[in-house]
Amino acid sequence: MSDHHHGTTPPSDRALRVRAMEQLLIEKGLIKEGAVDTIIDIFEHQLGPRNGAKVVARAWADPAYKARLMTDASAAIEEFGFAGFQGEYMVVCENTPEVHNVVVCTLCSCYPWPVLGLPPTWYKTAPYRSRVVIEPRAVLEEFGLSIPDDVEVRVWDSNNELRYLVLPMRPEGTEGWSEEQLAELVTRDSMIGTGVAAVPAKGEPA
Amino acid sequence: MNSIHDLGGMHGMGPLPFEENEPFFHEDWERRTLGTHLLTLMTGLAVADEARHSMERIEALHWLASPYYEHWLDGTETYLKEKGIATAEELATGHATEPLPAWAAELSALEPETVGRMITTNHPVTGEAAAAPKYREGDRVRSINMNPRTHTRLPRYTRGKPCTIVAYRGACLYADARSLGDYGAVDHTYTVRFEGADLWGRDAGPKDAVYIDLYESYLEDL
């Protein structure tokens, strides 16, 4: 590149670098103005754990739906209109009194976008990815989750095309609740397996 | 390749970075990096496996010290340069001076509305394999030991270990070959179960297991 940079400061800053890349690809006719904003809007407003919570709540409330979800998760999830990148081949892992499931991607950051959106920072970075396969119980303790020794911990390392959603156990005391009420108890972490569903406060809802 | 991205089983990576009510993005350049990177893939400039391999080749010290989306930014710049789509100078200035290679010149930029539909539509991740699958649920097998310098989805901690076939998942897109330009490649994929003790010996937890999806080419008879 010799002294091609005469008189300009090479971008040292990440913001400048990504702006330059986007601008260059627009100039080359490979992307259109506005397309990046469309993507950002989808990820910030359309995808997220509220989608997954609806799936879980229906699985709790409707045994026929749960059966479909456990047989062909992608199709059952698409009943809600949730589909697309990183959710094409979904598998649901059901937590039981005997088995606790937890999901990771040790090689990168594979995560089921249509139902959970983009992953939290801890999911994408070295501390979680390195440790959860070798000492899952210690990692789960740091999330406030204590798994008894007689419960099997299954760590799902999503490395291929399949993406995993954990079906947490339905909390006690929620008999007769509507799907909307149940969905309120379903946290993001309970669908990754680093948490469990929230326990309803006594007496709510009527 | 055996680089810093292959983290499973390591110690010493520091505390979990918990954050209450974490936003999807912390800074605006992260948003634009996600969007621009995904658009390059959607336009057909690269496949995800090439992108992952570009990120794996980031030097370890820089990888560890840089934020997550900088890996995407670095990786995207790498494959744009390697595939002849952009020069370092063009990426620095944001202005085009070089023509596109013929294959890239034939691609068309996606309309924003098309982009939205593509992201939220399921696309096939399996194909037709030439031969029938070799293994069945319940078979005891072993993951192979290999250490390629190229892209692989067989993590180091799972190499050369006995495991059990839990489910056959169809012939999934074969990442190792796709990262090398064989974009249509598929390979039979199985969910396998590794017992904790087979991976970690006496340091395994009381009842721990790892489930992972392995290509048939990663497996051999036990």
Side-chain angles (χ1 to χ4, degrees), chain A residues 78-194:
Chain A
E78 203 168 0
E79 292 178 30
F80 286 88
F82 308 144
F85 288 4
Q86 299 295 309
E88 276 100 348
Y89 197 161
M90 290 295 302
V91 170
V92 169
C93 309
E94 183 182 9
N95 282 349
T96 67
E98 292 79 38
V99 176
H100 181 86
N101 298 283
V102 58
V103 182
V104 65
C105 169
T106 64
L107 294 177
C108 47
S109 51
C110 296
Y111 194 72
W113 291 347
V115 281
L116 296 186
L118 293 170
T121 296
W122 57 258
Y123 184 90
K124 303 182 285 195
T125 44
Y128 181 75
R129 288 163 50 188
S130 60
R131 287 177 56 214
V132 76
V133 287
I134 186 169
E135 47 177 9
R137 288 161 205 269
V139 170
L140 294 176
E141 287 281 353
E142 291 175 33
F143 282 86
L145 202 56
S146 191
I147 308 292
D149 282 2
D150 62 346
V151 172
E152 177 178 311
V153 175
R154 284 185 192 167
V155 185
W156 296 78
D157 189 352
S158 26
N159 67 325
N160 194 303
E161 295 293 339
L162 288 79
R163 297 292 174 266
Y164 294 94
L165 182 75
V166 173
L167 177 59
M169 285 191 282
R170 178 174 175 163
E172 309 258 336
T174 57
E175 294 72 25
W177 284 33
S178 70
E179 283 183 31
E180 291 70 27
Q181 291 164 332
L182 289 168
E184 292 297 315
L185 302 176
V186 184
T187 63
R188 177 196 66 200
D189 288 5
S190 74
M191 295 181 280
I192 304 172
T194 52

Side-chain angles (χ1 to χ4, degrees), chain A residues 106 125-136 139, chain B residues 2-14 60 63-64 155-157 199-200:
Chain A
T106 64
T125 44
Y128 181 75
R129 288 163 50 188
S130 60
R131 287 177 56 214
V132 76
V133 287
I134 186 169
E135 47 177 9
V139 170
Chain B
N2 295 345
S3 86
I4 189 63
H5 76 286
D6 186 357
L7 289 159
M10 293 184 77
H11 298 126
M13 291 291 167
W63 193 96
L64 286 167
R156 266 177 292 179
Y157 78 93
L199 296 174
W200 318 112

Side-chain angles (χ1 to χ4, degrees), chain B residues 27-218:
Chain B
E27 295 182 42
D28 190 55
W29 68 271
E30 299 179 331
R31 287 185 181 83
R32 303 215 77 77
T33 299
L34 172 102
T36 308
H37 165 80
L38 283 183
L39 265 183
T40 67
L41 303 188
M42 293 166 71
T43 307
L45 299 177
V47 298
D49 308 298
E50 292 172 304
R52 291 196 182 106
H53 189 48
S54 295
M55 295 182 207
E56 290 163 11
R57 287 179 286 145
I58 298 168
E59 273 190 32
L61 286 178
H62 177 59
W63 193 96
L64 286 167
S66 54
Y68 175 76
Y69 281 109
E70 191 167 345
H71 302 167
W72 288 39
L73 188 53
D74 289 344
T76 310
E77 287 183 350
T78 296
Y79 62 72
L80 291 179
K81 286 186 279 190
E82 288 179 348
K83 303 190 82 172
I85 296 153
T87 63
E89 287 78 7
E90 288 177 315
L91 287 167
T93 62
H95 293 297
T97 55
E98 306 299 324
L100 287 170
W103 66 269
E106 283 170 20
L107 302 171
S108 35
L110 300 165
E111 296 294 340
E113 307 78 63
T114 314
V115 166
R117 268 198 309 279
M118 276 175 82
I119 290 180
T120 53
T121 301
N122 283 340
H123 305 271
V125 295
T126 57
E128 292 293 322
K134 187 175 170 188
Y135 299 114
R136 290 161 50 168
E137 188 181 321
D139 284 355
R140 290 283 291 160
V141 294
R142 188 196 319 273
S143 57
I144 60 170
N145 181 23
M146 65 167 173
N147 291 271
R149 288 177 175 276
T150 48
H151 182 64
T152 183
R153 300 300 283 177
L154 183 64
R156 266 177 292 179
Y157 78 93
T158 61
R159 294 178 191 166
K161 304 282 170 62
C163 54
T164 305
I165 305 278
V166 172
Y168 172 65
R169 302 298 193 179
C172 290
L173 299 175
Y174 183 31
D176 303 44
R178 282 164 56 85
S179 74
L180 299 171
D182 183 2
Y183 301 131
V186 295
D187 194 11
H188 293 303
T189 294
Y190 307 87
T191 299
V192 304
R193 173 191 169 104
F194 289 96
E195 302 303 326
D198 286 329
L199 296 174
W200 318 112
R202 67 182 187 184
D203 297 308
K207 283 183 85 173
D208 296 352
V210 169
Y211 284 62
I212 187 167
D213 303 312
L214 299 186
Y215 297 114
E216 191 169 279
S217 56
Y218 293 173

